[in-house]
Amino acid sequence: MKAEQKIMPDAPSLIEAAAEQFVASARSAIAKRGVFHVALAGGSTPKGLYQKLATSPYSEQIDWSRVHLFFGDERCVLPTHDDSNFKMAREAMIDHINIPAENVHRMPTEEGVAPDVAIRYGRTMQTVLEGQPLDLVLLGLGPDGHIASLFPDTAALDETEKTTVSLYVEKFESWRVTMTYPTINAARQVIVFISGEAKAAIVKDITTDVVQGLPIQRLAPQGDYYWFMDKAAAGQ
Ligand code: 6PG
């Protein structure tokens, strides 16, 4: 499925454009349904976006009391660990916005083995979403074409029922919990946020169909689907 590409000149303008899109999506969802359910991306790329959303004027343009934050995936480490996606988002944004603690739904990685964490988080999502899809899923793109923790050649790619699953990622010798394709594809909007020259090779391989069947290529969002990129990532 082809995404609508938004290519910005550089990383700062990419962050601005994505922040504006996030704010517009939040305000529209809150106006229509009184609530905005969003799944945050992990990794390093979205950190600048989260920092931007926590600053004026963006932070004031969102009624954070009506926002529920989820995580697209998590590394099975403590929430205080440097590899924690929750820790990254907390330090970059959550600690600096006026969001009720009960609206921040992190994956409870310290509360058991990965398969149990995946089941527990799936239940939390179902309880909070009450059958609604996520309004927005933010994703990064790995150099191997993975999104969230949907890595190539893993069983997680073939999950068609569950909201979240766990997997052991050989190359990182670690467990992850991730949202599945059904959860991501059902979202009203999916944004893949890609920045920097380091991603130019994978972006080129995907956009020129040199490679097939990568996790991102198997994504089939039912709603709006965007790639927000800077020129460096787009290879321009
Ligand atoms: C994670 C992410 C993962 C990430 C990509 C890109 O937990 O690592 O969810 O899918 O988005 O690996 O990572 P970078 O943004 O650090 O390049």
Side-chain angles (χ1 to χ4, degrees), residues 118-136:
I119 292 165
R120 194 167 306 176
Y121 198 66
R123 288 197 187 120
T124 298
M125 289 188 66
Q126 284 147 18
T127 304
V128 176
L129 290 169
E130 297 175 320
Q132 287 284 322
L134 290 159
D135 292 296
L136 173 62

Side-chain angles (χ1 to χ4, degrees), residues 40-42 71-75 85 107 148-149 151 176-179:
L40 299 180
F71 287 81
D73 71 322
E74 187 57 280
R75 297 93 179 261
N85 286 333
M107 294 191 181
S149 282
F151 283 87
R176 300 265 186 122
V177 174
T178 185
M179 288 184 184

Side-chain angles (χ1 to χ4, degrees), residues 41-46 73 75 85 139-142 146-149 176 199:
S44 56
T45 306
D73 71 322
R75 297 93 179 261
N85 286 333
L139 298 168
L141 174 64
H146 79 262
I147 44 168
S149 282
R176 300 265 186 122
K199 299 294 170 64

Side-chain angles (χ1 to χ4, degrees), residues 2-236:
K2 297 272 180 250
E4 181 181 336
Q5 297 188 1
K6 308 257 186 191
I7 302 176
M8 312 313 290
D10 52 30
S13 57
L14 171 64
I15 287 171
E16 295 262 351
E20 280 154 22
Q21 181 81 9
F22 187 104
V23 168
S25 308
R27 293 171 70 85
S28 157
I30 291 167
K32 285 186 193 134
R33 293 174 291 274
V35 65
F36 179 56
H37 295 118
V38 55
L40 299 180
S44 56
T45 306
K47 186 175 180 181
L49 168 61
Y50 302 155
Q51 288 167 331
K52 180 66 72 177
L53 288 167
T55 62
S56 181
Y58 302 97
S59 55
E60 293 109 42
Q61 293 170 347
I62 297 175
D63 176 356
W64 294 100
S65 71
R66 294 179 171 280
V67 176
H68 283 262
L69 296 179
F70 296 94
F71 287 81
D73 71 322
E74 187 57 280
R75 297 93 179 261
C76 291
V77 294
L78 293 176
T80 51
H81 190 285
D82 286 346
D83 288 351
S84 163
N85 286 333
F86 167 71
K87 184 171 184 279
M88 178 273 289
R90 183 179 58 72
E91 293 175 345
M93 179 176 75
I94 298 168
D95 282 352
H96 313 288
I97 57 177
N98 196 11
I99 190 167
E102 61 272 21
N103 287 22
V104 179
H105 309 284
R106 68 175 180 82
M107 294 191 181
T109 47
E110 73 283 9
E111 291 179 9
V113 293
D116 296 346
V117 174
I119 292 165
R120 194 167 306 176
Y121 198 66
R123 288 197 187 120
T124 298
M125 289 188 66
Q126 284 147 18
T127 304
V128 176
L129 290 169
E130 297 175 320
Q132 287 284 322
L134 290 159
D135 292 296
L136 173 62
V137 175
L138 285 173
L139 298 168
L141 174 64
D144 59 358
H146 79 262
I147 44 168
S149 282
L150 295 170
F151 283 87
D153 311 317
T154 62
L157 301 173
D158 303 318
E159 178 58 48
T160 57
E161 302 289 324
K162 295 188 183 112
T163 304
T164 44
V165 293
S166 63
L167 65 157
Y168 184 75
V169 183
E170 291 290 346
K171 66 176 172 184
F172 298 130
E173 296 176 348
S174 63
W175 282 91
R176 300 265 186 122
V177 174
T178 185
M179 288 184 184
T180 58
Y181 282 126
T183 304
I184 300 170
N185 286 336
R188 293 190 173 95
Q189 183 181 182
V190 173
I191 294 177
V192 184
F193 191 68
I194 315 166
S195 180
E197 213 169 330
K199 299 294 170 64
I202 186 68
V203 167
K204 184 160 182 270
D205 283 353
I206 295 166
T207 50
T208 57
D209 291 325
V210 165
V211 288
Q212 305 291 337
L214 291 178
I216 187 161
Q217 291 171 306
R218 294 175 60 169
L219 195 57
Q222 289 147 27
D224 299 332
Y225 180 30
Y226 302 106
W227 283 18
F228 274 65
M229 291 190 279
D230 55 23
K231 279 193 170 180
Q236 298 171 1

